[in-house]
Amino acid sequence: MVKSDICWMKGSEKDDCDFDQGGYFLIKGAEKIFIAQEQICMKRLWVSNNQGWTVAYKSEMKRNRLIIRLEGMSKDEDIKGVEKALVVYFLSTKIPLWILFFALGVSSDKEVVNLIDYSGDNASILNILIATIHDADDQCKGFRKEKTALSHVNKLIKATQFPPEESIDKCISMYLFPSLDSSKKKARFLGYMVKCLLQAYTGHRKCENRDNFRNKRLELASELLERELKVHIAHARRRMAKTLQRDLREDRAVRQIDYYLDASIVTNGLSRAFSTGAWSHPYKRMERISGVVANLGRANPLQTMVDLRRARQQVQYTGKVGDARYPHPSHWGRVCYLSTPDGENCGLVKNLSATGLVSTNILEPIVDQLFDCGMEKLVDDTSFSLEGKHKIFINGDWVGVCEDSLSFVLELRDKRRRKELPHQVEIKRDEQEGEVRIFTDSGRILRPLLVVENLSRVKSFKAKSYSFQSLLDKGILELVGIEEEEDCRVAWGIKYLLKDTEGKKPVKYTHCELDKSFLLGLSCGLIPFANHNHARRILYQAQKHSQQAIGFPTTNPNIRVDTLTHQLFYPQRPLFRTMTADCLGKPDYHFGKNEILPRPEIFNGQNAIVAVNVHQGYNQEDSLVMNRASMERGMFRSEHIRSYKAEVDNKETQDKRRKADDLVNFGKVPSKIGRVDCLDDDGFPYVGANLQSGDIVIGKCTESADHSIKLKHTERGMVQKVVLSSNDDGKNFAVVSLRQIRSPTLGDKFSSMHGQKGVLGFLESQENFPFTIQGIVPDVVINPHAFPSRQTPAQLLEAALGKGIACGGLKKYATPFSTPSFDAITEQLHRAGFSKSGMERVYNGRTGEMVRSLIFMGPTFYQRLVHMAEDKVKFRNTGPVHPLTRQPVADRKRFGGIKFGEMERDCLIAHGASANLHERLFTLSDSSQVHVCRKCKNVASVIQRSVGNGRKVRGPYCRLCETEGDIVKVAVPYGAKLLCQELFSMGICLKFETELC
């Protein structure tokens, strides 16, 4: 992984690219990232009522899993009100619960009931326990005698299809709750599981919710790589065992171990998994899943950052998946509730919030610290009562009990704030269940909150000297997990802590949010006034437009050879600021002010003067009118670079080849497939050469054949660079990059930061635009109809605020949820000498007359998107056809046609335009002619045959009638003729009814 501890870039003085965050892998020259996978947490008991009441002890190992189920004892399942008893499913067999208790060393029924410890008089619970005892008595008489229950369990386990090889004592110690060391402790935990199930059955405990994030863990690179490596190392070990067995005969000698181990199995397997994206399944051994690995997006640095913070939930099918797609309250502050794709992955692919942090595995033991805080050890005696004591769990394992859970938890949290415990430990006190749950595992989403009681410690810091880590170390900030946040009372901001309650009892807050905009993801938190917009518009900007905006992707484009990149010539920062942008920024001292400036690369666009007006009908239906003079000065001008790659074998691999004719080398030869005017003798074009479609871009040939790479239709450009290198496979490769300068043209797509996308409809001369008294002419004119139905007033607020900032206003922040008020924005405009409404008096550029209506105008941040008309335009008169069907080929780059499908055909039928339909589907597609015999109505062949006197004639002839007389020529589509011939080959003959027109 780039910039990990074992990457050589970690200690380098200068970064390869200033914008690069690392966190991705380089596989065969491609940048690959992991999408974090949501998995169900295995560290807790799972109580559910999906198919009957069950409580499950989950584990990665199948043999360690244990399920207790509440089952009806009647053989006829239709009878209602039947007795219910508890049954244990363990090691692929069904064991009566009471027998398992006695197998674990419990001595009496009363002791079992005490272990279950169900408080409350409920007749149904009593009936369940009695039915469970009767069930055990029916299956094994006298199971209370010493070792009888254990031998019965042994008999049940050995009767399974794949019984374990170990003895019954070893099985129980290895597979039944392996974290607990003695049978009495295992019996106590089993009793706790039964209690949880009975509480849920009587409604005193909630069933676990699959969509709650406390029941989920995110698998990151370490877990995913471990899973894949296990598969390939097991494969290598099996192969090694086979090879080693051959040398274990008497007549052969055993060699060193590395002779037998084939490391390429692991290397190639990992490389294949990264390249294809098919990753090993979390629990199905032979299956693979997609959607784990993706290519890193490089359209702009913001897209790169957002890609690295993506999470995905794998579902079995993309139909109805219950509530999995809906936002859950546990997402608050951890997962952005707006940044999700629209379409089939809506709600399944999520993005982490701005301050969301995924925990890593804490390796240092913390049990000793718990004893210091008042935890008592779990006694190895089942007759000892735990009444009035709270249970303590670490990652789902029962480690001890305590008398006063409140003081225990408070002391633990104090230790964490004093750095005596790791910051990522999560401590939850569940008073209702009488439990303290502590989590130190990886994959939990944490978020930082201000600790209210420690806020005064900020004074001890020197001015501007605190970092995020130092605030954590001092206990001013705290990383809070999902379960722990249920115990907290969080204020929405500092002002809520200082709020006057007007005689009411003041609210006692424990924590405080850093900023409300941090609840959103990265790309949402950058949108100004986002809380004023319709949610769908924010989703469009965050998921689509911000990731398609042309920016400046890397600071090292001269040494990169990406297949396709775009670079904006003059990227700008917007006039407004947001809290998320500032936190991604760095201190800047250029202007003599000690303030933070947002990093420029997270915004990809330019500040344009935008007028909301109609312009001669050229900006209706979301199209834009732009100023031609602004375009000529370089507004939204960008560079489009495409790279072409070719490989040849190097000299070592060439020597192994049999024939010299097969050797492929770079070089210039006269080519039949394209022009070679711009190539040098080495087969590469010179830097600065102007190549057009049809030119050879890389010359590659053998002695007998030409393997050159040719520019396809619509591809052209100036040669930017030529790179020669070699790869790990022993092949030399060359890369040629072509550059095109693209000024905005009609049909190019633009978007504001509010999901208001539009295409360029007209380039108007500057002198024809309306102008203000100050002589300001708009760069972009947008139609006023874009606003009412879309509900994006934030764009108007952004323009009004930007206008005030441009005139020296001090209110610069447009952070979502803490935006300046409408009155503050209008007041700032008024002080700058503008109308409070943001409207301006303009004059007609064509006539010089004053326009009666006022026009709203102001600077708005606009983005140029990668969708350009030049990449989409498709035209053709005649061109290549498919050799089999003789219909035009499909691909645009192969100079193909546009598909005229069934639905388009239906439209022409509905219009009754039969001549147009005939022309489109026949004349311009695959018209052809066949001969048909009018006697037998079969297709006649055109053949050469003898007619006597040694003469031969060529013409249509029916072989069935053996005549050439009554044969007519008919026009049919070539596809129909092909179908006729294919059916003929299968023994099916088509007959053609013909009629003279």
Side-chain angles (χ1 to χ4, degrees):
M1 183 191 276
V2 176
K3 294 205 176 174
S4 62
D5 287 347
I6 53 174
C7 173
W8 69 271
M9 291 282 291
K10 178 80 173 175
S12 61
E13 292 178 12
K14 190 172 186 311
D15 286 342
D16 203 24
C17 165
D18 294 343
F19 304 157
D20 198 21
Q21 311 286 326
Y24 55 89
F25 299 83
L26 291 172
I27 309 290
K28 295 182 182 172
E31 295 169 329
K32 299 281 186 180
I33 53 164
F34 281 125
I35 297 171
Q37 302 291 304
E38 285 180 31
Q39 297 292 351
I40 292 292
C41 172
M42 296 283 185
K43 306 280 194 246
R44 61 174 351 115
L45 295 182
W46 196 266
V47 184
S48 71
N49 184 23
N50 280 349
Q51 292 151 351
W53 288 96
T54 58
V55 59
Y57 176 84
K58 297 193 168 196
S59 170
E60 299 284 345
M61 291 278 294
K62 199 168 184 179
R63 290 197 156 176
N64 294 351
R65 293 175 200 164
L66 179 137
I67 297 172
I68 302 176
R69 185 183 286 276
L70 193 58
E71 286 187 348
M73 286 293 105
S74 168
K75 291 181 181 174
D76 190 352
E77 292 180 3
D78 298 332
I79 300 173
K80 298 275 195 241
V82 73
E83 281 188 332
K84 289 186 175 176
L86 295 161
V87 181
V88 177
Y89 289 87
F90 176 59
L91 286 177
S92 310
T93 187
K94 183 174 163 183
I95 306 169
L97 175 75
W98 230 253
I99 292 177
L100 186 59
F101 267 119
F102 277 83
L104 290 171
V106 181
S107 56
S108 68
D109 291 350
K110 187 174 191 316
E111 203 173 312
V112 175
V113 174
N114 288 341
L115 282 176
I116 293 172
D117 190 26
Y118 185 84
S119 54
D121 300 327
N122 192 323
S124 61
I125 298 298
L126 211 58
N127 290 339
I128 287 170
L129 295 179
I130 291 166
T132 308
I133 296 171
H134 285 322
D135 180 41
D137 275 326
D138 291 345
Q139 293 214 25
C140 179
K141 297 283 183 191
F143 66 86
R144 292 175 182 80
K145 291 176 188 170
E146 195 179 354
K147 299 288 182 186
T148 313
L150 195 63
S151 62
H152 182 73
V153 171
N154 185 28
K155 189 173 79 176
L156 288 173
I157 288 172
K158 295 300 180 192
T160 56
Q161 192 174 1
F162 301 105
E165 297 165 2
E166 298 88 1
S167 66
I168 184 63
D169 291 325
K170 197 87 181 281
C171 275
I172 285 175
S173 98
M174 280 174 66
Y175 300 134
L176 183 70
F177 313 134
S179 57
L180 298 170
D181 51 5
S182 75
S183 294
K184 296 289 177 80
K185 286 182 183 176
K186 291 177 195 280
R188 200 177 275 286
F189 192 83
L190 191 65
Y192 165 68
M193 282 181 73
V194 176
K195 181 184 177 183
C196 292
L197 180 58
L198 296 178
Q199 280 180 330
Y201 179 66
T202 53
H204 293 107
R205 186 187 183 109
K206 283 186 179 178
C207 291
E208 298 298 340
N209 182 358
R210 288 181 59 187
D211 301 317
N212 195 327
F213 254 113
R214 78 179 200 173
N215 296 327
K216 287 186 179 179
R217 295 291 182 263
L218 287 189
E219 286 187 336
L220 298 185
S222 58
E223 291 87 2
L224 292 166
L225 275 173
E226 178 192 12
R227 200 164 83 201
E228 188 67 24
L229 272 169
K230 271 183 184 171
V231 172
H232 297 304
I233 289 171
H235 181 196
R237 198 179 66 230
R238 287 195 301 271
R239 183 75 63 84
M240 179 178 157
K242 277 185 184 174
T243 321
L244 189 58
Q245 278 166 353
R246 291 182 201 141
D247 286 356
L248 289 176
R249 298 183 197 140
E250 292 178 6
D251 55 336
R252 302 184 69 157
V254 178
R255 310 190 199 189
Q256 288 287 333
I257 192 77
D258 46 351
Y259 171 77
Y260 302 103
L261 181 63
D262 186 2
S264 67
I265 292 175
V266 179
T267 310
N268 296 340
L270 268 180
S271 180
R272 194 183 314 112
F274 269 111
S275 300
T276 60
W279 212 256
S280 55
H281 197 279
Y283 48 86
K284 293 181 183 171
R285 277 181 64 189
M286 298 308 289
E287 282 192 27
R288 294 199 157 259
I289 51 172
S290 58
V292 178
V293 178
N295 285 322
L296 183 62
R298 284 283 188 186
N300 56 60
L302 179 64
Q303 185 193 18
T304 307
M305 256 192 276
V306 169
D307 272 3
L308 291 163
R309 295 179 64 80
R310 184 159 292 145
R312 183 189 183 98
Q313 180 180 351
Q314 292 283 352
V315 289
Q316 301 299 318
Y317 57 96
T318 52
K320 196 176 178 210
V321 286
D323 298 336
R325 296 181 188 273
Y326 294 115
H328 191 271
S330 63
H331 292 179
W332 180 266
R334 292 173 175 80
V335 170
C336 180
Y337 42 85
L338 289 173
S339 301
T340 181
D342 54 342
E344 62 177 3
N345 287 325
C346 186
L348 301 178
V349 174
K350 306 178 182 74
N351 287 284
L352 289 184
S353 294
T355 51
L357 177 84
V358 181
S359 68
T360 51
N361 221 343
I362 297 168
L363 298 174
E364 57 186 272
I366 62 165
V367 180
D368 296 339
Q369 308 261 20
L370 303 186
F371 285 123
D372 298 345
C373 296
M375 184 178 85
E376 300 169 21
K377 203 169 185 180
L378 194 61
V379 289
D380 192 11
D381 181 10
T382 49
S383 58
F384 184 74
S385 173
L386 295 180
E387 196 174 344
K389 295 190 177 180
H390 283 105
K391 306 171 195 66
I392 297 171
F393 296 90
I394 295 184
N395 297 331
D397 296 332
W398 193 352
V399 291
V401 291
C402 68
E403 291 278 353
D404 184 4
S405 64
L406 183 61
S407 63
F408 171 76
V409 165
L410 288 174
E411 196 172 337
L412 260 187
R413 286 177 183 159
D414 271 352
K415 274 180 177 283
R416 186 178 62 191
R417 288 169 193 168
R418 294 197 303 267
K419 246 183 111 181
E420 293 173 29
L421 273 178
H423 292 304
Q424 295 187 355
V425 173
E426 184 178 346
I427 305 153
K428 159 76 177 170
R429 176 176 176 255
D430 194 336
E431 194 176 0
Q432 189 181 352
E433 310 295 346
E435 297 171 10
V436 175
R437 294 191 287 274
I438 300 166
F439 291 99
T440 62
D441 57 328
S442 60
R444 295 169 291 120
I445 308 183
L446 310 170
R447 71 189 192 109
L449 293 173
L450 290 166
V451 181
V452 172
E453 64 184 34
N454 294 345
L455 277 176
S456 55
R457 294 184 191 174
V458 175
K459 295 176 186 173
S460 63
F461 281 93
K462 291 178 184 173
K464 300 278 181 185
S465 67
Y466 41 77
S467 64
F468 188 84
Q469 190 59 45
S470 64
L471 289 171
L472 265 181
D473 295 344
K474 289 275 186 183
I476 298 165
L477 275 181
E478 186 172 42
L479 295 176
V480 177
I482 291 157
E483 285 201 69
E484 189 176 340
E485 197 171 345
E486 295 167 6
D487 297 347
C488 305
R489 187 163 216 168
V490 186
W492 278 7
I494 295 290
K495 69 177 182 183
Y496 290 89
L497 301 175
L498 311 171
K499 206 173 187 180
D500 188 19
T501 52
E502 298 176 1
K504 295 178 190 170
K505 192 179 177 184
V507 180
K508 184 88 170 71
Y509 289 110
T510 58
H511 292 78
C512 177
E513 297 274 5
L514 290 166
D515 189 85
K516 280 185 279 188
S517 69
F518 292 161
L519 303 172
L520 299 171
L522 271 186
S523 44
C524 287
L526 300 173
I527 301 171
F529 300 98
N531 51 309
H532 292 267
N533 276 346
H534 195 284
R536 187 186 296 161
R537 296 285 137 193
I538 302 293
L539 187 144
Y540 284 158
Q541 165 62 17
Q543 279 301 117
K544 288 185 174 178
H545 302 158
S546 70
Q547 300 190 21
Q548 294 170 1
I550 299 175
F552 206 88
T554 53
T555 56
N556 58 342
N558 293 336
I559 57 171
R560 285 179 68 95
V561 281
D562 296 291
T563 309
L564 181 67
T565 53
H566 294 275
Q567 285 180 5
L568 196 64
F569 274 22
Y570 306 108
Q572 296 177 347
R573 280 196 193 96
L575 293 166
F576 60 83
R577 307 264 287 273
T578 67
M579 186 64 76
T580 306
D582 278 9
C583 292
L584 291 172
K586 47 194 173 188
D588 197 293
Y589 303 99
H590 291 320
F591 307 111
K593 297 175 185 175
N594 187 5
E595 63 173 17
I596 286 178
L597 273 180
R599 287 166 70 165
E601 70 265 24
I602 57 174
F603 293 104
N604 307 285
Q606 293 178 344
N607 294 299
I609 303 294
V610 177
V612 181
N613 191 15
V614 291
H615 191 87
Q616 300 176 8
Y618 280 105
N619 64 352
Q620 53 193 328
E621 293 293 339
D622 277 335
S623 53
L624 308 171
V625 175
M626 285 198 175
N627 191 331
R628 189 185 295 277
S630 303
M631 299 292 140
E632 287 164 357
R633 292 186 199 109
M635 187 171 82
F636 292 122
R637 185 171 297 181
S638 68
E639 191 174 54
H640 168 278
I641 299 171
R642 185 181 286 278
S643 299
Y644 299 85
K645 187 175 177 181
E647 287 182 351
V648 297
D649 292 335
N650 61 14
K651 286 185 179 174
E652 292 175 16
T653 50
Q654 279 180 4
D655 295 341
K656 298 173 187 173
R657 288 285 181 101
R658 296 185 301 279
K659 295 180 183 174
D661 295 349
D662 295 340
L663 301 181
V664 182
N665 278 312
F666 294 124
K668 178 180 178 181
V669 290
S671 177
K672 292 178 184 175
I673 60 171
R675 296 184 294 275
V676 291
D677 306 346
C678 296
L679 296 189
D680 291 335
D681 292 339
D682 56 1
F684 305 116
Y686 56 88
V687 174
N690 189 1
L691 299 181
Q692 301 296 326
S693 64
D695 287 356
I696 301 291
V697 66
I698 298 175
K700 196 170 71 158
C701 57
T702 61
E703 287 188 7
S704 57
D706 188 0
H707 299 282
S708 300
I709 292 176
K710 172 186 167 184
L711 286 188
K712 292 179 180 171
H713 175 56
T714 72
E715 293 181 339
R716 58 189 178 82
M718 309 277 283
V719 178
Q720 170 97 345
K721 60 176 175 280
V722 180
V723 178
L724 283 168
S725 185
S726 62
N727 59 22
D728 298 340
D729 300 335
K731 292 190 173 182
N732 296 332
F733 69 87
V735 181
V736 175
S737 296
L738 299 190
R739 178 187 77 243
Q740 271 180 280
I741 292 174
R742 300 245 178 124
S743 283
T745 54
L746 299 190
D748 286 4
K749 193 175 179 186
F750 295 85
S751 164
S752 72
M753 290 194 78
H754 307 274
Q756 287 281 15
K757 58 181 185 285
V759 295
L760 180 52
F762 188 57
L763 276 172
E764 180 66 281
S765 302
Q766 180 169 329
E767 54 270 21
N768 293 336
F769 262 125
F771 57 90
T772 65
I773 299 169
Q774 298 163 314
I776 290 175
V777 181
D779 298 316
V780 177
V781 180
I782 181 173
N783 200 304
H785 294 88
F787 293 97
S789 61
R790 308 284 169 62
Q791 299 172 21
T792 55
Q795 183 165 332
L796 305 175
L797 289 170
E798 182 200 334
L801 181 71
K803 204 169 178 181
I805 295 168
C807 297
L810 297 174
K811 285 195 169 27
K812 295 184 178 179
Y813 281 89
T815 307
F817 306 113
S818 50
T819 53
S821 68
F822 182 77
D823 293 337
I825 295 169
T826 53
E827 190 59 42
Q828 182 167 280
L829 267 179
H830 193 61
R831 279 202 300 273
F834 288 102
S835 160
K836 279 189 176 183
S837 64
M839 302 277 203
E840 294 199 38
R841 176 70 65 200
V842 296
Y843 295 85
N844 190 323
R846 293 173 184 272
T847 63
E849 295 173 340
M850 186 176 79
V851 178
R852 286 190 180 181
S853 53
L854 297 171
I855 302 298
F856 183 87
M857 197 182 290
T860 311
F861 193 73
Y862 256 77
Q863 303 158 128
R864 186 180 188 191
L865 309 187
V866 293
H867 301 291
M868 299 184 204
E870 191 172 333
D871 298 326
K872 308 281 173 99
V873 65
K874 192 167 182 179
F875 56 89
R876 154 181 171 133
N877 41 17
T878 56
V881 293
H882 196 278
L884 181 65
T885 59
R886 298 198 188 171
Q887 294 169 359
V889 293
D891 195 6
R892 170 179 171 263
K893 290 192 174 168
R894 288 160 58 194
F895 202 55
I898 297 170
K899 183 181 178 188
F900 192 85
E902 286 185 58
M903 298 178 100
E904 290 81 7
R905 181 208 68 158
D906 296 341
C907 290
L908 286 191
I909 291 171
H911 280 287
S914 52
N916 190 357
L917 189 68
H918 179 262
E919 180 190 56
R920 185 63 43 197
L921 296 181
F922 177 70
T923 316
L924 300 181
S925 180
D926 58 348
S927 62
S928 70
Q929 293 176 327
V930 295
H931 295 87
V932 176
C933 172
R934 296 191 71 186
K935 277 186 185 174
C936 62
K937 299 177 181 174
N938 286 311
V939 176
S941 313
V942 176
I943 59 170
Q944 189 173 9
R945 67 187 195 283
S946 303
V947 291
N949 303 331
R951 281 193 318 119
K952 289 185 176 179
V953 292
R954 179 179 173 79
Y957 181 77
C958 178
R959 292 189 168 182
L960 289 168
C961 304
E962 296 184 345
T963 175
E964 75 276 8
D966 203 6
I967 291 176
V968 291
K969 189 191 280 188
V970 294
V972 295
Y974 190 82
K977 180 230 175 202
L978 182 69
L979 175 69
C980 175
Q981 288 173 323
E982 286 182 352
L983 289 174
F984 193 76
S985 68
M986 295 158 59
I988 301 167
C989 187
L990 288 188
K991 302 217 169 193
F992 287 85
E993 292 279 353
T994 57
E995 200 176 296
L996 287 171
C997 297

